[in-house]
Amino acid sequence: MSLKYDFTGKVALITGSSSGIGAATAQLFAKSGANVVVTGRNADAVAKVAKQCSVVSPKQLPALEVVGDLTNDEDCNRLIETTVQTFGKIDILVNNAGAGIMAPIDATDYMEKFSLALKTNLNSVVYMTHKCVPYLAKTRGNIINISSIASKKSGSTGSSPYCMSKAGINMFTKCMAAELGPKRIRVNAILPGAVDTNFMTIFDLPKDLIGQIYSNIGQKYPVGRVGQSQDIAYTVAYLASDSEAGFITGSIVVADGGDIVANVSYE
């Protein structure tokens, strides 16, 4: 019997929810009865996921579509304001938006890439949290930040911008769990391992080669496969559930198929 969650009456705002982990998370919340906010930079992708959310919603609740770039503070403000104007509150914030920005330290554009990695992967999490706290305090809501096992492993050449931005999320999560506890806001983070999403497209590789890479990695994982977006979505739902995880805050939850314990190499 599969575990079913009930988020009826809850409002879940999931950043970067137009594809991959974010899209799967939005659909799971919708399927569990929540009012869902779908957001991303591509209007067509946002609309597609929003429609899928409405289809799986028990009451066919329409998902709120907000197109924007979370590296832009004005877009962040509009996202939050539109959510509150539409639903009147925010119960769950999933900071999922991010990008695999890489550069070797001796690259001429390293500082530019490093700055962009921080702005995209870390600063957006900090800003969204900062702006959502007043609303989450009213609902005694919770925050789930999507980090990466790259924050725990020494990365390969060129990965420092990405790894450091994700490591920052881990510490921010711990700090916020302690600081926001008196407001009864729980804050946790998830560290996915390799998940079969469009992440690998940053390397501009053929689709069949990407599939082979994921297959090779999966063979090294103790569970025998790489992750699927739904694997992480269910972890998000667990942490967001007050009935199931109401005593959990400040946790850095590893969901990596055994990547770290098996010391899997991607070389």
Side-chain angles (χ1 to χ4, degrees):
M1 182 177 71
S2 62
L3 180 62
K4 293 184 178 180
Y5 294 97
D6 184 3
F7 290 107
T8 302
K10 301 290 187 180
V11 176
L13 194 171
I14 306 101
T15 68
S17 44
S18 59
S19 65
I21 292 170
T25 300
Q27 290 172 48
L28 180 56
F29 275 121
K31 187 176 181 180
S32 303
N35 286 294
V36 173
V37 183
V38 179
T39 183
R41 291 179 294 182
N42 184 294
D44 291 339
V46 168
K48 180 179 179 180
V49 174
K51 182 177 180 180
Q52 292 168 339
C53 287
S54 179
V55 169
V56 300
S57 171
K59 296 182 179 180
Q60 281 71 60
L61 297 174
L64 175 63
E65 303 173 32
V66 182
V67 178
D69 182 350
L70 292 189
T71 64
N72 184 309
D73 290 351
E74 290 183 3
D75 282 2
C76 290
N77 292 336
R78 179 169 52 82
L79 169 60
I80 296 167
E81 290 167 2
T82 304
T83 299
V84 175
Q85 288 170 3
T86 302
F87 298 121
K89 63 174 183 171
I90 300 172
D91 296 282
I92 301 160
L93 171 64
V94 182
N95 285 311
N96 169 73
I101 299 167
M102 311 285 186
I105 190 65
D106 57 355
T108 56
D109 63 346
Y110 179 82
M111 292 309 300
E112 178 184 341
K113 292 287 184 63
F114 177 61
S115 178
L116 182 59
L118 291 182
K119 191 173 183 180
T120 305
N121 297 340
L122 179 58
N123 293 9
S124 63
V125 172
V126 174
Y127 192 83
M128 287 295 295
T129 300
H130 167 61
K131 289 293 186 177
C132 284
V133 162
Y135 304 107
L136 293 169
K138 291 180 181 178
T139 59
R140 296 195 170 194
N142 66 85
I143 302 168
I144 299 99
N145 298 320
I146 306 301
S147 181
S148 168
I149 58 165
S151 66
K152 291 283 190 179
K153 299 176 67 174
S154 56
S156 58
T157 299
S159 65
S160 62
Y162 180 75
C163 293
M164 286 191 287
S165 66
K166 290 297 186 177
I169 291 176
N170 299 353
M171 182 52 70
F172 182 67
T173 297
K174 295 176 183 180
C175 291
M176 289 302 100
E179 184 171 331
L180 298 178
K183 297 181 184 294
R184 299 299 178 262
I185 300 173
R186 295 188 298 110
V187 188
N188 294 288
I190 300 172
L191 276 57
V195 178
D196 190 358
T197 65
N198 60 4
F199 179 86
M200 294 285 285
T201 57
I202 63 171
F203 299 111
D204 196 27
L205 299 173
K207 188 174 181 179
D208 57 343
L209 179 56
I210 291 175
Q212 186 59 52
I213 291 172
Y214 277 128
S215 178
N216 292 341
I217 294 172
Q219 291 173 23
K220 298 178 182 179
Y221 275 13
V223 298
R225 64 176 177 86
V226 295
Q228 298 298 317
S229 295
Q230 291 80 0
D231 292 317
I232 310 305
Y234 272 106
T235 309
V236 172
Y238 169 71
L239 290 173
S241 173
D242 290 327
S243 60
E244 301 294 333
F247 199 54
I248 300 175
T249 194
S251 289
I252 308 298
V253 179
V254 177
D256 69 345
D259 186 312
I260 291 177
V261 295
N263 196 29
V264 172
S265 172
Y266 287 68
E267 299 294 337

